[in-house]
Amino acid sequence: MDIVAVVVVALWAMCPAYLPNSAAVLGGGGRPLDLGRSMGGRRILGDGKSISGTFVGWAAGAGLALVLNELNATGESLSGVDLPEFPLAVVIVFPLGAMLGDIAASFLKRRLDRERGAPLPVIDQLDFVVGSLPLAYLVAPAWFVDTFTPAVLLVVVVVTPVLHLTANRIAYLLDLKDEPW
Ligand code: CTP
Ligand code: MG
């Protein structure tokens, strides 16, 4: 695969793991996932992880994976790149893993005594990758190895933080998010 194909495959494959975070911002608020409970004097997760945000984030990512499957042939003829199709198990667990990674990062942040919204560089930008990729590997190992070649994985790790920071900056400027990170 040439470098353009690697980048196109990386972006296409990661879309269902990228969307949940942004969708959660739009669908968030309401009952917190930890139901307001604390652990050792600190919130378990905090008000930044809500039941509705988590569900909306997951559903948006799964919906996008289904849409991308429909658009696969069109995408291939437009880009000239062999694009991956998401198996149903991946449609379900990929965005779920993204949300779980983000939730795990909040758990960690509260244990480190960081308030809701406080930045935790590197982890904030990659938590959803660390959550989504292993889950996809667990449910569809052959598909995973085929899609996420070492080159594709490298592009994901380099490009994801840039996209994440850009998306959050835009959400902040649009007044959708309280912090620019
Ligand atoms: N959000 C949500 N449910 C989620 C994830 C996000 O409702 N599972 C919404 C919340 O309104 C949250 C916003 O999206 O404030 C931004 O998400 P994020 O930056 O992940 O949360 P933070 O507010 O920064 O909280 P934390 O410090 O726990 O990460
Ligand atoms: Mg945040």
Side-chain angles (χ1 to χ4, degrees):
M1 257 196 285
D2 62 77
I3 178 69
V4 175
V6 169
V7 173
V8 170
V9 168
L11 292 179
W12 186 275
M14 286 307 288
C15 276
Y18 286 154
L19 187 63
N21 271 283
S22 308
V25 175
L26 299 176
R31 219 165 154 72
L33 262 183
D34 66 8
L35 304 175
R37 287 193 205 140
S38 295
M39 196 175 114
R42 291 260 135 212
R43 283 289 294 278
I44 299 177
L45 301 173
D47 287 334
K49 303 295 114 131
S50 67
I51 294 173
S52 67
T54 306
F55 178 76
V56 169
W58 169 77
L64 179 60
L66 293 175
V67 170
L68 290 179
N69 278 351
E70 291 301 315
L71 295 177
N72 190 283
T74 315
E76 288 189 341
S77 53
L78 284 177
S79 65
V81 175
D82 195 9
L83 297 169
E85 270 195 64
F86 302 96
L88 192 56
V90 174
V91 168
I92 292 164
V93 306
F94 216 31
L96 182 68
M99 288 278 87
L100 290 177
D102 182 52
I103 289 166
S106 288
F107 179 79
L108 180 67
K109 286 202 241 178
R110 300 301 91 81
R111 307 288 73 70
L112 294 172
D113 225 13
R114 294 186 193 220
E115 296 300 334
R116 171 190 180 177
L120 191 54
V122 183
I123 293 192
D124 272 337
Q125 283 79 51
L126 288 171
D127 51 20
F128 52 101
V129 174
V130 174
S132 56
L133 294 185
L135 270 195
Y137 177 73
L138 272 181
V139 299
W143 176 85
F144 184 90
V145 172
D146 217 37
T147 305
F148 290 98
T149 60
V152 170
L153 281 176
L154 181 65
V155 168
V156 168
V157 170
V158 173
V159 170
T160 301
V162 179
L163 288 176
H164 187 257
L165 287 167
T166 308
N168 284 351
R169 179 103 222 160
I170 292 170
Y172 173 75
L173 292 174
L174 292 176
D175 233 354
L176 295 170
K177 210 173 175 294
D178 295 334
E179 303 88 17
W181 46 77

